[in-house]
Amino acid sequence: MNVIGFFDDPGKAMIPDDLAQIDLKSMHVLVAVHDARSFSAAAVQLDISQSTVSYAIDRLRRAFRDPLFVRQGNSIAETDKCKDLVSQAREFVDRMLAIAVPEEFDPETADGTVTLSCNHHERFLLLPTFIPALRAAAPKVVLNVLESAVNGKQQLKENSADIVLGPVRILGEGYFRRRIFSDHYSCVMDAQNPLAAGELTLERFRKAAHVAVTHNGQWQALYFAALREHDIFLTPQLTLPSHDSIELMIAGTDLVATIPNRLARAYGGRLCVRRFPVHIAIDIDMYWTERTHKSGLHRWARQLLADVTTSCLNRSPDGDDDRECRGTSVQNDNR
């Protein structure tokens, strides 16, 4: 572990008094101010007074002989030394918290909070089973669910999320990963769409009117890169911020959405589900950090989530229904 190293050989030099008085709480305050970009917001987050925050930062400024934060308009900006210090402090605080957490855990009596970050795909498939299981086993535990979009790593880094689920790659020291399940793409469309009959070839797919889920313009689904290898460059006719209610947007139109197969199959009977012409794996992983790695509550919650996933997937195996679809199109009921 690379903790804050003040001297190449600490045995040959005394630690200056200002530096020796820096404690774990001061480091925690530093990280909070850095992430919130505000002394007052950090005080609210930590439930301490703003004067306590200012005192901690002033001590750090004297110890490291650097302003750490400078005023920039209506906000504050970090100095180069502050950036390096925050990186070290975050790791140090997280590891100390992890060491301090007792390993024994009883879900029936436990109280605490688990913050899970994921998108519609994972929420739709897993949370309807995970939440009742959590409530039954640990009724005092609070569950917070966040939208991850593409911010999962940042949420873990800033401690705003304990667990991140998704088809993402979060790399770096201090992050842990566990494969939860794998999926692949299918196409969904109205039953009256011409693509609902006959073979769905790449050429027919290319000419379709496409829907793209972009997570507020920050994400491009994995199949776009795969199609570019076939010299296919799609221009979506509709972009949506998430998969939520996508069936309502497609019903009665000529639009085609390419979405995870397990999610697509949930729309069977309302939309036509066809096999995507190229098989592309969607690996859903669970990520967490050193901060919660040894926490009894979070270890238990991660295992429960993994067990629930196995149960959900066993009840709904990953089939691939590619039958031609003909029938009455799904209509939006606006009565």
Side-chain angles (χ1 to χ4, degrees):
M1 176 179 74
N2 294 323
V3 298
I4 303 171
F6 307 115
F7 301 99
D8 290 336
D9 187 353
K12 294 182 179 180
M14 291 295 295
I15 298 178
D17 288 343
D18 286 342
L19 206 54
Q21 294 175 18
I22 299 304
D23 56 13
L24 193 62
K25 184 176 180 179
S26 297
M27 292 299 178
H28 195 193
V29 169
L30 174 71
V31 172
V33 171
H34 173 271
D35 292 345
R37 289 292 191 268
S38 164
F39 280 43
S40 57
V44 171
Q45 177 185 327
L46 298 175
D47 195 23
I48 57 178
S49 68
Q50 188 168 339
S51 61
T52 301
V53 171
S54 298
Y55 176 71
I57 298 301
D58 285 342
R59 290 177 62 195
L60 291 170
R61 283 169 167 164
R62 292 193 299 270
F64 291 96
R65 297 178 177 82
D66 188 87
L68 300 179
F69 299 102
V70 294
R71 179 61 58 183
Q72 194 173 73
N74 294 325
S75 184
I76 57 175
E78 63 185 7
T79 65
D80 288 343
K81 180 170 285 190
C82 179
K83 183 177 180 180
D84 292 340
L85 182 58
V86 166
S87 177
Q88 297 277 4
R90 191 189 305 278
E91 179 181 354
F92 185 70
V93 170
D94 285 353
R95 294 199 176 193
M96 292 302 101
L97 290 174
I99 292 171
V101 171
E103 294 190 7
E104 294 183 1
F105 175 74
D106 179 6
E108 291 186 5
T109 59
D111 56 1
T113 300
V114 175
T115 301
L116 171 64
S117 177
C118 58
N119 291 323
H120 180 76
H121 179 207
E122 299 80 37
R123 287 198 303 272
F124 184 89
L125 293 177
L126 304 180
L127 292 200
T129 305
F130 177 68
I131 291 174
L134 177 70
R135 296 296 305 147
K140 295 182 181 180
V141 170
V142 175
L143 175 65
N144 293 328
V145 180
L146 305 179
E147 182 83 15
S148 64
V150 297
N151 302 313
K153 182 173 184 177
Q154 191 69 16
Q155 291 169 338
L156 287 177
K157 182 178 180 182
E158 295 178 357
N159 300 334
S160 58
D162 303 318
I163 301 170
V164 168
L165 288 180
V168 295
R169 294 292 175 269
I170 299 179
L171 304 176
E173 185 179 354
Y175 295 97
F176 297 85
R177 182 184 72 174
R178 178 174 179 176
R179 177 65 42 82
I180 293 296
F181 68 93
S182 292
D183 207 340
H184 61 276
Y185 287 106
S186 287
C187 299
V188 292
M189 64 200 75
D190 188 90
Q192 296 299 321
N193 191 310
L195 295 181
E199 182 184 358
L200 182 56
T201 63
L202 266 177
E203 182 59 22
R204 294 184 74 202
F205 174 85
R206 181 184 66 81
K207 294 178 179 179
H210 295 280
V211 179
V213 173
T214 66
H215 295 300
N216 297 320
Q218 302 177 54
W219 169 264
Q220 188 176 73
L222 304 176
Y223 66 87
F224 278 89
L227 290 174
R228 286 194 290 270
E229 295 180 1
H230 294 271
D231 293 325
I232 296 176
F233 301 86
L234 300 182
T235 301
Q237 298 298 305
L238 172 66
T239 61
L240 296 173
S242 79
H243 294 100
D244 185 29
S245 301
I246 199 169
E247 74 278 16
L248 301 178
M249 314 300 170
I250 294 175
T253 75
D254 63 341
L255 293 166
V256 174
T258 303
I259 64 177
N261 179 61
R262 295 183 187 277
L263 189 57
R265 293 178 65 221
Y267 301 137
R270 291 174 287 171
L271 293 176
C272 177
V273 181
R274 301 300 309 274
R275 183 185 299 117
F276 184 57
V278 181
H279 183 86
I280 303 167
I282 307 171
D283 294 328
I284 306 299
D285 292 330
M286 173 165 57
Y287 291 91
W288 64 98
T289 66
E290 188 84 39
R291 178 176 62 89
T292 61
H293 184 56
K294 294 184 178 180
S295 161
L297 169 60
H298 295 92
R299 289 169 61 185
W300 176 84
R302 292 192 299 267
Q303 187 58 51
L304 179 65
L305 188 55
D307 293 342
V308 161
T309 301
T310 300
S311 174
C312 289
L313 301 191
N314 285 341
R315 289 200 305 268
S316 178
D318 186 17
D320 195 0
D321 189 352
D322 192 41
R323 294 172 296 177
E324 293 184 3
C325 305
R326 284 298 184 190
T328 304
S329 61
V330 179
Q331 301 295 329
N332 295 325
D333 189 353
N334 294 320
R335 292 175 294 176

